[in-house]
Structures are given as structure tokens and as C-alpha cells.
Amino acid sequence: MTGGRPRPRLFRVRELDHYPNSRQRMRILSMAVLAVLIASYEGQIAPVVPLLLDDLDMSLTTYGAVSATALVAGAIASMVGGRLTDTVGRVRLIVPLLMLTALCCFLMTTVHSPGQLLAVRAVLSVVDGMAMAGTAPLVRDFSPRMGRAQAFGFWTWGPVGASFLAAAVASLTLPLFDDSWRSQFVIMGTVSLVLSVVIALNIADLSPELRARIVQSERETLGRADHTEPPRVRDLFAHRAVWAHVIGIASWLVLYVTLTVYGQTMLAESFDLTAARASQIMAAFWTLNILTLVLSGRLSDRLQLRKPFCVGGTVGGIVLTAYLASLIGRDDVSHLHVAITGALIGGVMGCAYGPWMANFSENAEDIDPRLQGTAWGVFTFLTKAMAVVVLVAVPRVIESGGWRAWLIVSVCCMAVFVPASLFFRGPWRRAKAAPEAAPEASPQDAPAPAPASD
């Protein structure tokens, strides 16, 4: 690849000195998506939770405490990993960590007690959290703003695709292995280790100079950071738009994390389904979610609008989740009815997620493009922190009010995103006439980005 140069640091990677063309970017972006797919797939445990609880003679409350403790370690590690990607580089961290998480999957097969489960999941969560923190800024590096929402839609194929893949593989292979939950981690480790090698051979990184640029399109550069001053993390949190993003997405993630961690368990207990049937329904949820992620991202990029998609999809999620809660306890609800409702929830949530990621990236980029890794480290921290909250709170809520009560809590949390979005930067309506693209500025002449006023 043109502009590549090896540098003998933590991990030998190609580092590009010139912004790549579309074909080169697509190849590297595909590797970034594959990386987040692996990192997410290796952490999937939801499809086998019912089997795991029986085999280890463990209550749902104990499982929640074990998983929450492991995720606390992972949340802290993600903050560290996000900062390291800004200083060391994205790929030098991602590839070695992916291989380590694959090995942790094989280690899961040795678990025979809740204590052993805690030890293995904690190690996996730490390594996985640091790896995940580098994938989103890598996508940002190789996606100009004209195509960023669609790029992040593909990035989201990683965690979403991992949930779909885990659910689909579980539904197909669990009957073949006598419902042994250990079989799933053997499959995860094998697939992940092979794909990690593929990624290592095809991925590349941008030089620090290129990462400091704000790129609108391949022909237009909006600006770059002023290298006379070092990046300051506190600059990110001096703007209310960043705080609005943090509060809004943390609340939005309650439902997303619930479905990721407890989706199959909730369906099995609420609608009297087998583990395989519950996984089939969750696969339908993730299928439509994957499709709308890319379609909404493409439309968001074409219109150069983010906030209307975020809010519209969120409102749709609120309405449909409230409807799903109303179905629990009814005797006349078919499996198809539940599957259609779940798929629609996945669809509207996909409409919101990709454009939000693009909006968050652009808002952070306007402050200082050199802090993308740090910003996405905060996002990864929030994802894991909300998973801790869900793991701790769900058993207590369902003991008193059942899964319907928890879905209502999730709806209320998601509603917080709507007023928070009022503080996001970016237009609500498309401009009547877009100005002509300016010629690309050279790194020497491009001005430093001026943060938009709050």
C-alpha cells in the first residue's frame, strides 16, 4: 500500500503518510469492522446463560454480580486503551489484544465454578475493553465526514453482528453438542484466532499527522489540530455538547445492553421459549438492526444530517419497547408476534445508532481531532458501565416486578436521550444550498479547527 512504513514499536504495522484513496480505505475499514466483530463475539455469553446457570448451579443474582465485577475492570481498561490509541496508535494495540482475547475464549472451557468464571471473565473484559476502544477511532480515521455515518453503521455490524452470530451459531450448534455451553467458546476461540491473523496481514494505521486532520471528503480538508499545543483531555469535557452525548447515550444504552446481555433469558422466561427459539427471535432482532444501520447511515450521509435520525429512531424504540412490555403475561401472543415486535425494535434502534456515532465523532473532532481515541474510550467505558448497572439492577427489579417492570425502566431511560439531543451540535434540517467544496488544504496551510460555541 502506498505511503506505508514499518515502525519498530509495540507491533509492526504499516503506517500511512498519505490519506488513502477510496479502495484502500474500504479494505482497511473492512478490517476494522472485522476487528470489532471479533472483539464483540469473544465476549458473547447471552445465548448460553440459561445453560451456564444450570451447569454451575448459579443463581441469576450471582451471575449478575460476577459479570458486573468483570465489567468494572473492563470499563476502566477501556479508558486506558482509548487514551493509548491516541498516543501509541490504533493497530499496535488492536491486533495483539485480539489474539489474547481469542485465547481467553479457550480458557472459558476450563470454568467449573462461579469463582473461576469471575477470574476468566475479568481477564477477558480487560483485554477486550482495551481492544474495542481502538476500533471506533480507527473507523473515524479512514472515513471522511461525507461517509462517516455509513462507516459507523458498518462498525456497528461488529457488536450487532456478534450478537447475531452468537445467537445463530448457538441455535444451530447447541443441539449438535448436547446443549454444552463450552462448545460455543471453542467455536468462538477458533474463529477469532484465525480472523485475527487475517486482520494482522491486511490492516494499516494513519500517521499521527494524518490523524490530526479533519477530513470532509477525499478532496476537502476542513482543518487540522495545532501541533504547537499538546492535546488536552479536559478540553473534551469543557463543552456541554460532549456532556449531552455522554448522558444521552448512557441512558439509551440501558435497553441495548439489556437485549445484548439478557435478550434470550428475558424472552425464554417471559414467553415460555426454549433457549434455541429465544436465540432465533434475537437473531431476527439483530438482522433488521444490521440492515437499518447501513441504510440510515447512508441517508444520513447523503443529507449530512445526524440528529433527526437519532431522535426519530429513539422515539420509535420507546414506543415499540413499551408495546413489547404490554405483551408480557398475555396468553394470546404467538412466537411470530414476539419475533416481529422484536425485529422492529432492532430496526428503529439501528436508525438511531449509526448517525449518533457519526455526530459524536464529529462533535469531538471539532474540539480536537487528536482526541478521538480518548473520546471513544469514554464511550466504551459507558457501554461497559451501563452493562454493570443492568447486570446488578435486573435481578432485583424482576424479583419484584418481572421483566415487564424492567422494560418500563428501560423505556424511561431511553426517553432521556431525546432532551439530551437538543444540546448536540449539528443541523436539524438540510441546508437549502450546499456551498461548493473548497480545494484540499495542505497540512501546513490548513487552519486549526475552532470549536463551535455552545
Side-chain angles (χ1 to χ4, degrees), residues 183-225:
S183 66
Q184 301 306 299
F185 290 98
V186 173
I187 295 171
M188 286 180 189
T190 303
V191 171
S192 300
L193 195 57
V194 171
L195 293 182
S196 294
V197 175
V198 174
I199 292 171
L201 296 175
N202 290 279
I203 204 166
D205 217 339
L206 290 183
S207 67
E209 292 78 11
L210 287 179
R211 293 203 301 267
R213 295 169 59 185
I214 299 177
V215 181
Q216 175 70 13
S217 68
E218 288 186 10
R219 299 180 180 179
E220 181 182 4
T221 298
L222 299 180
R224 59 168 292 159

Side-chain angles (χ1 to χ4, degrees), residues 118-155:
L118 172 60
V120 177
R121 297 300 291 182
V123 173
L124 176 61
S125 185
V126 167
V127 180
D128 181 66
M130 294 184 71
M132 283 287 290
T135 56
L138 186 65
V139 169
R140 171 265 168 190
D141 292 345
F142 289 96
S143 59
R145 289 189 173 188
M146 290 299 294
R148 187 163 299 175
Q150 187 175 0
F152 274 118
F154 282 114
W155 178 93

Side-chain angles (χ1 to χ4, degrees), residues 169-180 183-184 187:
V169 170
S171 64
L172 293 173
T173 62
L174 278 175
L176 301 178
F177 294 98
D178 297 325
D179 283 346
S180 170
S183 66
Q184 301 306 299
I187 295 171

Side-chain angles (χ1 to χ4, degrees), residues 341-359:
T341 304
L344 290 175
I345 294 174
V348 295
M349 291 180 73
C351 289
Y353 203 32
W356 173 82
M357 294 187 77
N359 191 221

Side-chain angles (χ1 to χ4, degrees), residues 1 14 24 27-28 30-31 197-204:
M1 186 176 294
R14 285 171 297 168
Q24 293 170 326
R27 184 168 67 176
I28 296 172
S30 67
M31 291 298 104
V197 175
V198 174
I199 292 171
L201 296 175
N202 290 279
I203 204 166

